[in-house]
């Protein structure tokens, strides 16, 4: 994965670069010799963006105007990693119209801009296991039935459809990466963040939603960004889809216990009692586990185990709290 | 199909009311006792709109602002017939971003407005056989694989997905009508209009695209509007889809010959020689024929035969040319 001496510099645009996965991706690409520009929302001081490998950052939406400003001459843009979009099922249910704009309209604008300005550029469209929806047992292959039932999953599938539409009618090359449960340093939402935040407050008991038996495929962000870079070479007008996961399904209960264990080992304290409410969240499938055969054909393997990965997550969380305080 | 004496007045909003199918639908609904408002693009003099059964017309897009203006108090709106959207494969290929806005963004805005303002309202979302795409032989059932390959078909499928998304997460009731090849008075585009326009110019030979063997399911607009009204009662959060066609596949060559025959019979002249270029149009499936079993369960049948329907179309075309000159 190191940059090849003498190889031409590849130029990447990362939409949503300032997000959790976006930052890790930018740093990974930069370390591997890519020239990286970023587009997304939020003030990002130049020095900090540079530390993440982003040589140019534009604070704004994925619009033709911002793309024009970034690429007045577009011959050099080899790949767009399209990470911009809604970021959770809950937020999408709370405001479905905004999630639509963030995920679907940005893709419509991006694909149209590429059609008109940079038709040779490859797209890596970052989708989600949420497109599969509920009712699956065991590892889910990419050609499984797609029955999203949250607005988040529906919108991600529309994003994929836009890529297929432009591929079929205009030859735009893209590949779809369906991410499973991505975790790692910087993830400040969802289950792991929630558990750590409550442990940080010193709770004595920890009740989580659901039954604890829900299965998820947890994949380290360091593995994910390697996969995304690899998938840039698979872009094609037929828009192949690839699951990005480990192929291992872990019950939520086990994940929570691993977090508790890592937390206790750092402060020597007693782990709080763990329980589950039994109430499942709206839009939450019971089992989401990747069949990773297609990605394995590209010689990609997840290299980070869950227990060590969660211990690193806990260490990052505790460090981030010390930085804040 | 007559209005029931004493039945409560049902209130319909027809988006895209001024279009070909929209006008026929408004007139049909008004004749059957509905109170009809219309929303869409273009100046429509009040007297003319009233002739089509539209008691209130707003010239503008399907936006929250226009919907708010039409329904400051929304308790009374029973059904939205959502016909607004892109209107042809060719236009969608020429300007895919605009087609996306017309078909998909309007639906996102409509569904969100209903969620927030009129959650009990039913939606009849007017989709297209283009969602099925190519590769189908014989009558296509609603649960067939959906493989659109034109932007037009992709966007119609996204419209359907938005209805499903709002149904699953918010209980919004909708039904999807997948229209096959609709024709009738007022259709001023596509094959029939093209043939008549050339005959009107007095061509001696008539070359059409494709092989002439392409199969389509031609359904009279008068039958379609009856189906759409019927489907309002089928709206459900699970968003059932219904094909609207006749179940009969007719080769393009036969349709063209029927038009030539009808034309010649009105002016006694010799029909021009008919030929086909052999070149198929981009985004054009070979066969699109409806399995109409699901709609037949609702006691709906297409009542207009093709030969008589095409003769009426030719008569309308000739009359419209006299009105112009």
């Amino acid at each position: 994965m190191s940059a090849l001496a003498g190889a031409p510099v590849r130029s990447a645009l990362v939409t949503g670069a300032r997000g959790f996965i976006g930052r890790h991706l930018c740093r990974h690409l930069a370390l591997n010799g890519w020239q990286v520009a970023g587009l997304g929302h939020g003030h990002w001081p130049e020095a900090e963006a540079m530390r993440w490998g982003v040589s140019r950052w534009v604070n704004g939406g994925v619009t033709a105007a911002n793309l024009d400003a970034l690429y007045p001459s577009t011959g050099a843009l080899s790949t767009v990693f399209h990470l911009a979009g809604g970021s959770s099922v809950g937020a999408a249910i709370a405001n479905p119209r905004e999630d639509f704009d963030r995920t679907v309209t940005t893709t419509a604008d991006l694909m149209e801009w590429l059609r008109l300005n940079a038709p040779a550029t490859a797209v890596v469209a970052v989708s989600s296991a949420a497109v599969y929806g509920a009712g699956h047992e065991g590892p889910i292959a990419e050609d499984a039935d797609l029955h999203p039932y949250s607005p988040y999953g529906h919108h991600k599938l529309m994003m994929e459809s836009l890529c297929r539409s432009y591929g079929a009618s205009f030859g735009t090359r893209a590949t779809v990466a369906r991410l499973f449960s991505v975790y790692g340093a910087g993830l400040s939402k969802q289950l792991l963040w929630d558990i750590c935040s409550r442990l940080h407050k010193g709770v004595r008991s920890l009740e989580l939603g659901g039954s604890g038996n829900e299965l998820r495929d947890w994949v380290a962000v360091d593995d994910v960004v390697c996969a995304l870079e690899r998938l840039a070479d698979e872009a094609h007008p037929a828009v192949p889809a690839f699951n990005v996961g480990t192929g291992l399904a872990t019950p939520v209960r086990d994940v929570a216990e691993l977090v508790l264990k890592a937390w206790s080992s750092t402060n020597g304290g007693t782990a709080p009692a763990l329980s589950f409410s039994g109430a499942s969240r709206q839009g939450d499938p019971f089992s989401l586990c990747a069949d990773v055969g297609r990605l394995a054909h590209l010689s990609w393997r997840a290299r980070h185990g869950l227990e060590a990965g969660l211990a690193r997550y806990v260490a990052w969380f505790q460090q981030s709290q010390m930085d804040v305080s």
Side-chain angles (χ1 to χ4, degrees), chain A:
Chain A
M1 301 300 289
S2 60
L4 299 174
V9 171
R10 291 193 288 177
S11 163
L13 169 65
V14 177
T15 71
R18 201 168 153 272
F20 159 53
I21 300 171
R23 291 176 190 226
H24 284 275
L25 176 63
C26 291
R27 185 165 61 186
H28 172 83
L29 293 173
L31 287 172
N32 284 279
W34 294 67
Q35 182 86 15
V36 182
L39 176 56
H41 291 290
H43 174 63
W44 209 4
E46 190 177 335
E48 193 194 329
M50 285 295 285
R51 277 202 300 279
W52 285 99
V54 177
S55 54
R56 177 133 192 243
W57 167 250
V58 168
N59 174 2
V62 181
T63 62
N66 283 332
L67 291 163
D68 283 342
L70 265 169
Y71 295 98
S73 154
T74 52
L77 177 60
S78 40
T79 307
V80 177
F81 294 90
H82 183 42
L83 278 72
S87 58
S88 83
V89 171
I93 291 174
N95 195 336
R97 186 64 184 80
E98 181 178 318
D99 192 83
F100 172 86
D101 258 351
R102 290 164 62 112
T103 299
V104 189
T105 309
T106 60
T107 307
D109 283 330
L110 174 63
M111 299 307 287
E112 180 73 352
W113 184 83
L114 290 172
R115 177 177 83 91
L116 297 174
N117 297 280
T121 301
V123 176
V124 177
V126 177
S127 182
S128 161
V131 298
Y132 294 116
H136 300 278
E137 285 187 31
I140 307 171
E142 288 86 350
D143 56 3
D145 286 343
L146 305 176
H147 295 300
Y149 61 61
S150 69
Y152 178 79
H154 275 287
H155 297 159
K156 289 291 188 190
L157 187 51
M158 289 181 210
M159 179 194 75
E160 296 189 10
S161 298
L162 278 165
C163 293
R164 298 222 160 77
S165 177
Y166 274 81
S169 289
F170 308 110
T172 316
R173 294 177 307 119
T175 184
V176 162
R178 294 184 183 144
L179 308 189
F180 282 68
S181 295
V182 186
Y183 72 95
L187 177 62
S188 52
K189 63 182 181 186
Q190 299 165 352
L191 180 71
L192 302 186
W193 176 263
D194 180 43
I195 295 175
C196 288
S197 299
R198 287 152 79 181
L199 292 174
H200 184 66
K201 286 182 192 151
V203 294
R204 291 188 181 183
S205 66
L206 188 69
E207 187 186 79
L208 300 175
S211 67
N213 302 320
E214 295 85 357
L215 298 169
R216 289 293 182 274
D217 183 333
W218 295 85
V219 56
V221 69
D222 313 270
D223 284 327
V224 169
V225 297
C226 290
L228 294 178
E229 184 193 21
R230 177 67 187 83
L231 289 179
D233 294 332
E234 303 304 312
H236 186 278
V239 192
F242 291 85
N243 287 335
V244 181
T246 65
L248 302 172
T250 307
V252 167
R253 181 185 306 276
D254 293 5
V255 169
E257 284 175 350
L258 287 172
V259 172
L260 291 181
K261 182 178 161 192
W263 191 277
S264 304
S265 74
T266 60
N267 66 2
T270 314
L274 180 65
S275 64
F276 289 86
S277 70
S280 66
R281 290 184 309 173
Q282 190 185 3
D284 232 6
F286 180 78
S287 175
L288 284 177
C289 179
D291 178 331
V292 291
R294 198 177 280 183
L295 199 52
H297 272 294
L298 306 182
S299 303
W300 178 91
R301 293 285 184 293
R303 300 190 299 180
H304 296 274
L306 185 56
E307 182 162 0
L310 291 176
R312 281 200 306 280
Y313 181 80
V314 167
W316 165 79
F317 180 90
Q318 293 177 332
Q319 182 64 46
S320 71
Q321 297 303 307
M322 283 195 278
D323 294 346
V324 168
S325 59

